[in-house]
Amino acid sequence: MSLKTDRRLIPTSAHWGTYFAEVENGKLVAVRDYEKDPAPAIIGPGIVDAIDDEVRVRRPMIRKGWLENGPASRDGRGSDPYVAVPWDEALDMAGAELKRIAATHGNEAIFGGSYGWSSSGRFHHAQSQVHRFLNCMGGYVRHEGTYSYAAGQAITPHVVGHFKELLDGHTTWPVIAETSELVVMFGGVPVKNGQVTSGGVGRHTVFEGLKTAYEMGVEFVNVSPIRNDVIEIVEPEWIAPRPNTDAAIMLALAHTLYTEGLHDEGFLDKYCVGFDKFLPYLLGKTDGQPKTPEWAEGISEVPAETLRSLARRMAGGRTMIMVAWSLQRADHGEQPYWLAILLAAMLGQIGLPGGGFGLGYGSENGIGNPVEMFKWPALPQGRNPVDKFIPVARISDMLLNPGGSFEFDGGTHTYPDIKAVYWAGGNPFHHHQDLNRLVKAIRRPDTVFVNEIWWTALARHADFVFPTTTALERNDLSMTHWEQTIVAMQKAIEPVGDSRHDYDVFTGLAERLGVAEAFTEGRDEEAWLRHLWDQARQRAAEADFELPDLETFREIGAMEVLQPKEPVVLLRKFREDPQANPLTTPSGKIELFSEAIAGFGYADTPGHPAWVEPYEWLGSPLTETYPLHLISNQPKTRLHSQLDSGAVSRGSKIQDREPMSMNPADAAARGIENGDVVRLYNDRGACLAGVIISDAVRPGVVQLSTGAWYDPEEPGVVGSLCKHGNPNVLTRDIGTSRIGQGPSAQSVLIEIEKYEGTPPPVTSFVPPKILEKE
Ligand SMILES: Nc1nc2c(c(=O)[nH]1)N[C@H]1C(S)=C(S)[C@@H](COP(=O)(O)OP(=O)(O)OC[C@H]3O[C@@H](n4cnc5c(=O)[nH]c(N)nc54)[C@H](O)[C@@H]3O)O[C@H]1N2
Ligand SMILES: Nc1nc2c(c(=O)[nH]1)N[C@H]1C(S)=C(S)[C@@H](COP(=O)(O)OP(=O)(O)OC[C@H]3O[C@@H](n4cnc5c(=O)[nH]c(N)nc54)[C@H](O)[C@@H]3O)O[C@H]1N2
Ligand SMILES: [Mo]
């Protein structure tokens, strides 16, 4: 045996950073930060032990009930053991089942929305892979929108333009530092969230952006139920409203601006339509209620004087209004977005450096990150001949109500009758609301197919589980238009167990369905990477910059491109010449009254932005039973549910439970102490969590991040206690409104009690029972 250690450093990329994987004798031992990254994420090292831990899926698996009784065994989802089946047999059976369902029910019976973040790397992007495969076999029912900002995506096209195009054009941090005087942040600018960009981060710039702005004299106001949504070193003023009351606060700010003559009439006339139709509502002429600061104080519990003086301060200089994405993941979350744009319009600084509005600074590193726009190539997904879709968060509704109708952005549509569900690169048992309802819904289809790396709760509810590789087990290209860093990702270790790339799983299925040629176009991994990189080089040449050949790129590993040529200011061109550069709204201007929305005739959403009382909030009668508002924000130690089994995330747990923060007064009233295990509950479900007592959380509010793996005490039983702390057993599964139908996870009331006795052990990181095939 050789005593020589084979030690290598291999470039790779994750949504949370660029890394060099340190590999010793074929085993991942560490991840080294990218030397050009000024503020590496804390998430990264979580992969080191997670990559080959006990809860990896190592072989293809079929649920025992399905193997014996096929679809008739559907009620065993969530509780049945699994049988390990050789690849060829498992692919034969899965291929035959997909063929049967498509032949009997048509491709409209296949749901392939497959929402989820997957991994960094454009070729092995799991969602693109599954969509391409399903298109090759005749199409699938898709989803529209995102869990991140579905309500935002629905409202901004009516008001100011397409959401993603707005995000691409956000004013950059250096411009803010130089020109803003005041930044008002609704929902903060959490640096912990800026750890990620979908598709991969190179240099983390949010911390630097905030710090530089502070040093250059910018003042910050954080309007949020949680103080540490903004780093302390920028000395933010903290205004702590009841959650979900931002619309009332913004209306009060607008009321003060108008009644004190601080609004910019010239801007409203030249660049906007409909302020005159909004005004009667603001002044209370339509409903008898002027939207005064006193009125807003009754709703938000923010003193009227604080609001009045904030409005005056905002009008007194160059002010940037920032709104986190979380605000629209709430009941009628469209409204605070519309109102933030309205406020910015009243201030008249839209299109000026350092003024206007921003949607999602800090929500991802990419927002406001200086980078020249460029369209990188991606795996082509093909054409989907099926035109049925659902708004992304209507998954349980669809499965539970085949043929039922739903409204969405002015249209009426029907839910398809789904027989097959295929998921690769996402986890609805992480991301969806009201998991007990999802446990029921996932039992409706005939067959559930999942490609997964780990035994997540989704894998445990599937009939076919195909074990997939991580990004460290394959070659790829990381390139996203929100970052300057591009990475030639290279295979660091051999695939763990018998896992395969999603591409190879789908190639195997495509062979069985007779569409392999269409799916692969005759290319393997290496040929696809060369093809995509050739395209990138061609486009770069057209855009007047140079990319090296693939061999050289692989030697370099990670490189910086696309330094911005000039400072980016959101909507600058529109401001300079609104006739030559109209918006994509119906009027070409900013719509403060939308004829289109008024035309929908939705009683709860008039043609102008408004305060619409949420169904659950600290002002509702339900507080008599459930007096606490739950904020389930993004976790600091991982990305969603990814790497929850790794050391970084597990190191944050309290008695193995997900940490949960609450105000000292609320804890004392319930006899709860730091480090206790508590039970959080409402009519929809219950979970355990470990307590952190903190005055950074406003009274009446509880914070429990998303992402603890769902861990029912009685697997497969609807309503079972989640032993681990997944907030989605408590959230409500209802669309933000008929406009956006987005997830409304932030509108939830609960109660908390101390858990007496020894809590049951967390078992989500132990695989299900696995049987060998006879
Ligand atoms: N209560 C509440 N719920 C929320 C939110 C909230 O604020 N509150 N936020 C919502 C938001 S904004 C989002 S974006 C969603 C996120 O929801 P998801 O994107 O579904 O969450 P992830 O945990 O990232 O799930 C990705 C899954 O893909 C797997 N995976 C990674 N790489 C690969 C691969 O290469 N191949 C395959 N086959 N699988 C892979 C991972 O193991 C993981 O299980 O959650 C939403 N849910
Ligand atoms: N580390 C890490 N970073 C992430 C992710 C992750 O999983 N981990 N997920 C990524 C994804 S997919 C997304 S979409 C983004 C999401 O980015 P965001 O939506 O910005 O993130 P959240 O953490 O959900 O919420 C930010 C803050 O908003 C505040 N907030 C909640 N409700 C209200 C309200 O009603 N009013 C006010 N004023 N404030 C409120 C809360 O205090 C919360 O801490 O984050 C991304 N970044
Ligand atoms: Mo998201």
Side-chain angles (χ1 to χ4, degrees):
M1 203 180 104
S2 160
L3 290 175
K4 209 170 137 242
T5 311
D6 169 30
R7 197 165 152 281
R8 296 178 305 139
L9 283 179
I10 296 131
T12 188
S13 157
H15 297 301
W16 47 87
T18 296
Y19 295 99
F20 290 85
E22 193 174 335
V23 176
E24 246 177 53
N25 297 328
K27 195 174 156 49
L28 179 71
V29 294
V31 287
R32 296 264 192 93
D33 294 329
Y34 179 42
E35 68 280 3
K36 291 188 182 132
D37 188 347
I42 63 164
I43 301 172
I47 187 70
V48 177
D49 52 327
I51 201 163
D52 57 358
D53 65 9
E54 188 193 358
V55 75
R56 263 306 281 258
V57 187
R58 285 181 157 74
R59 291 183 288 168
M61 299 282 171
I62 301 179
R63 189 171 57 79
K64 183 167 179 280
W66 198 95
L67 209 48
E68 289 165 358
N69 290 314
S73 71
R74 45 168 62 84
D75 286 348
R77 285 183 195 132
S79 57
D80 271 0
Y82 283 83
V83 181
V85 178
W87 269 110
D88 274 344
E89 275 178 57
L91 289 170
D92 285 348
M93 274 187 272
E97 178 64 353
L98 282 168
K99 216 183 236 172
R100 177 191 75 81
I101 288 170
T104 322
H105 306 284
N107 284 59
E108 284 196 10
I110 301 174
F111 182 65
S114 189
Y115 181 81
W117 267 53
S118 322
S119 285
S120 169
R122 284 306 89 187
F123 171 62
H124 288 292
H125 182 238
Q127 208 187 116
S128 307
Q129 292 281 351
V130 66
H131 291 166
R132 180 177 169 86
F133 162 69
L134 292 172
N135 281 337
C136 288
M137 67 166 281
Y140 63 96
V141 175
R142 67 193 161 84
H143 72 243
E144 272 201 7
T146 62
Y147 276 79
S148 312
Y149 38 62
Q153 282 173 287
I155 192 72
T156 65
H158 295 293
V159 178
V160 65
H162 295 292
F163 192 73
K164 287 192 178 171
E165 286 167 21
L166 287 175
L167 294 185
D168 292 347
H170 265 41
T171 303
T172 53
W173 281 112
V175 176
I176 292 168
E178 227 162 272
T179 51
S180 301
E181 289 168 275
L182 176 67
V183 172
V184 181
M185 315 145 126
F186 291 87
V189 171
V191 168
K192 68 158 174 58
N193 289 357
Q195 289 184 103
V196 314
T197 291
S198 176
V201 177
R203 293 179 300 122
H204 291 87
T205 53
V206 179
F207 180 86
E208 202 176 69
L210 282 165
K211 187 165 163 276
T212 311
Y214 168 76
E215 286 163 358
M216 292 179 77
V218 180
E219 292 177 14
F220 294 92
V221 176
N222 175 28
V223 186
S224 173
I226 299 176
R227 187 177 63 217
N228 48 23
D229 281 334
V230 185
I231 44 173
E232 272 172 35
I233 59 161
V234 304
E235 298 190 86
E237 178 187 334
W238 184 28
I239 295 176
R242 285 168 159 174
N244 293 192
T245 64
D246 304 86
I249 289 173
M250 292 169 177
L251 281 163
L253 297 172
H255 191 273
T256 304
L257 292 180
Y258 185 76
T259 52
E260 299 192 2
L262 300 172
H263 62 299
D264 185 336
E265 271 181 35
F267 187 90
L268 293 171
D269 283 348
K270 185 167 177 194
Y271 298 100
C272 306
V273 296
F275 186 71
D276 56 327
K277 290 192 170 150
F278 162 76
L279 198 51
Y281 169 77
L282 183 70
L283 300 177
K285 300 212 166 115
T286 47
D287 60 355
Q289 176 59 66
K291 308 303 173 302
T292 60
E294 283 71 21
W295 165 80
E297 175 177 346
I299 292 171
S300 66
E301 290 185 345
V302 176
E305 259 332 290
T306 306
L307 296 175
R308 211 166 257 124
S309 72
L310 179 61
R312 292 173 189 147
R313 244 175 110 188
M314 289 169 79
R318 190 59 58 84
T319 298
M320 168 69 85
I321 300 168
M322 298 185 174
V323 193
W325 293 342
S326 61
L327 267 77
Q328 50 81 66
R329 289 199 299 282
D331 187 26
H332 289 86
E334 293 85 4
Q335 302 303 324
Y337 266 38
W338 199 350
L339 281 163
I341 296 159
L342 178 136
L343 263 183
M346 287 179 79
L347 291 176
Q349 300 174 5
I350 293 174
L352 293 180
F357 65 91
L359 309 173
Y361 281 102
S363 297
E364 282 185 36
N365 189 63
I367 309 297
N369 187 31
V371 52
E372 191 72 28
M373 270 305 291
F374 182 70
K375 195 171 166 10
W376 292 99
L379 180 73
Q381 298 185 7
R383 209 183 65 82
N384 186 355
V386 174
D387 61 9
K388 284 253 176 208
F389 76 97
I390 56 164
V392 68
R394 302 278 49 87
I395 168 89
S396 292
D397 283 356
M398 170 185 74
L399 295 175
L400 292 167
N401 306 304
S405 78
F406 65 94
E407 288 171 290
F408 176 55
D409 204 15
T412 304
H413 312 265
T414 53
Y415 288 121
D417 188 357
I418 294 300
K419 302 293 180 191
V421 169
Y422 207 126
W423 226 294
N427 179 4
F429 281 88
H430 159 74
H431 63 235
H432 196 53
Q433 285 56 64
D434 198 348
L435 291 183
N436 285 304
R437 192 162 180 255
L438 183 63
V439 171
K440 280 186 250 170
I442 201 77
R443 290 191 185 143
R444 288 298 186 92
D446 283 3
T447 306
V448 178
F449 305 85
V450 168
N451 295 0
E452 244 302 344
I453 303 166
W454 288 281
W455 278 110
T456 62
L458 173 64
R460 290 169 208 249
H461 285 83
D463 302 318
F464 285 83
V465 185
F466 292 117
T468 27
T469 50
T470 66
L472 283 157
E473 293 149 62
R474 53 205 190 201
N475 298 311
D476 213 329
L477 296 165
S478 165
M479 38 200 193
T480 146
H481 69 284
W482 279 2
E483 298 288 330
Q484 290 183 20
T485 313
I486 53 173
V487 188
M489 301 164 68
Q490 285 153 67
K491 179 172 152 180
I493 63 167
E494 288 304 315
V496 170
D498 278 343
S499 62
R500 290 186 182 175
H501 310 327
D502 292 286
Y503 182 65
D504 296 331
V505 177
F506 291 126
T507 302
L509 289 172
E511 280 163 1
R512 282 148 180 96
L513 289 154
V515 293
E517 182 52 37
F519 180 72
T520 65
E521 293 179 32
R523 298 190 182 98
D524 59 6
E525 179 196 67
E526 183 63 15
W528 271 109
L529 293 175
R530 287 193 181 278
H531 175 68
L532 292 173
W533 188 246
D534 283 348
Q535 271 182 6
R537 292 185 76 194
Q538 236 165 46
R539 290 184 195 178
E542 284 156 23
D544 232 12
F545 74 103
E546 212 183 315
L547 291 172
D549 62 40
L550 191 55
E551 279 67 29
T552 314
F553 184 27
R554 282 179 173 160
E555 265 167 46
I556 301 168
M559 61 189 279
E560 303 293 313
V561 291
L562 297 165
Q563 306 272 345
K565 293 192 188 90
E566 54 185 47
V568 178
V569 173
L570 181 64
L571 300 175
R572 183 207 292 258
K573 286 208 170 115
F574 168 65
R575 185 180 186 107
E576 281 168 1
D577 190 343
Q579 263 74 47
N581 309 301
L583 303 177
T584 53
T585 57
S587 61
K589 294 187 176 183
I590 299 169
E591 302 216 347
L592 306 179
F593 183 93
S594 160
E595 297 291 347
I597 291 178
F600 296 167
Y602 300 156
D604 57 346
T605 46
H608 57 75
W611 157 252
V612 186
E613 186 177 343
Y615 50 70
E616 282 183 30
W617 67 297
L618 289 175
S620 38
L622 192 64
T623 49
E624 281 175 28
T625 324
Y626 300 119
L628 299 168
H629 193 122
L630 174 73
I631 296 289
S632 49
N633 60 353
Q634 311 298 317
K636 184 177 181 179
T637 53
R638 55 181 181 260
L639 174 70
H640 315 133
S641 68
Q642 297 196 41
L643 302 188
D644 192 31
S645 67
V648 178
S649 179
R650 283 171 85 165
S652 74
K653 310 261 170 173
I654 296 171
Q655 295 193 45
D656 298 335
R657 321 293 139 161
E658 184 65 17
M660 180 219 86
S661 301
M662 69 192 300
N663 186 272
D666 294 321
R670 291 165 180 79
I672 292 168
E673 286 171 36
N674 228 3
D676 278 352
V677 171
V678 289
R679 182 173 160 270
L680 291 70
Y681 62 97
N682 61 18
D683 287 347
R684 291 179 288 271
C687 70
L688 302 183
V691 173
I692 296 174
I693 297 180
S694 164
D695 65 4
V697 179
R698 173 200 198 284
V701 169
V702 165
Q703 177 271 330
L704 172 67
S705 289
T706 59
W709 287 13
Y710 170 62
D711 193 14
E713 190 171 24
E714 298 167 279
V717 174
V718 175
S720 174
L721 172 78
C722 170
K723 300 178 287 180
H724 190 190
N726 188 313
N728 276 327
V729 295
L730 301 161
T731 51
R732 188 168 169 190
D733 182 15
I734 185 167
T736 50
S737 80
R738 287 172 284 176
I739 300 177
Q741 290 287 9
S744 53
Q746 308 301 352
S747 303
V748 181
L749 291 177
I750 61 162
E751 179 52 298
I752 296 187
E753 64 185 12
K754 190 173 163 136
Y755 188 87
E756 303 290 351
T758 312
V762 170
T763 48
S764 50
F765 304 130
V766 180
K769 187 164 182 207
I770 291 165
L771 309 168
E772 293 304 320
K773 194 158 185 284
E774 282 145 29

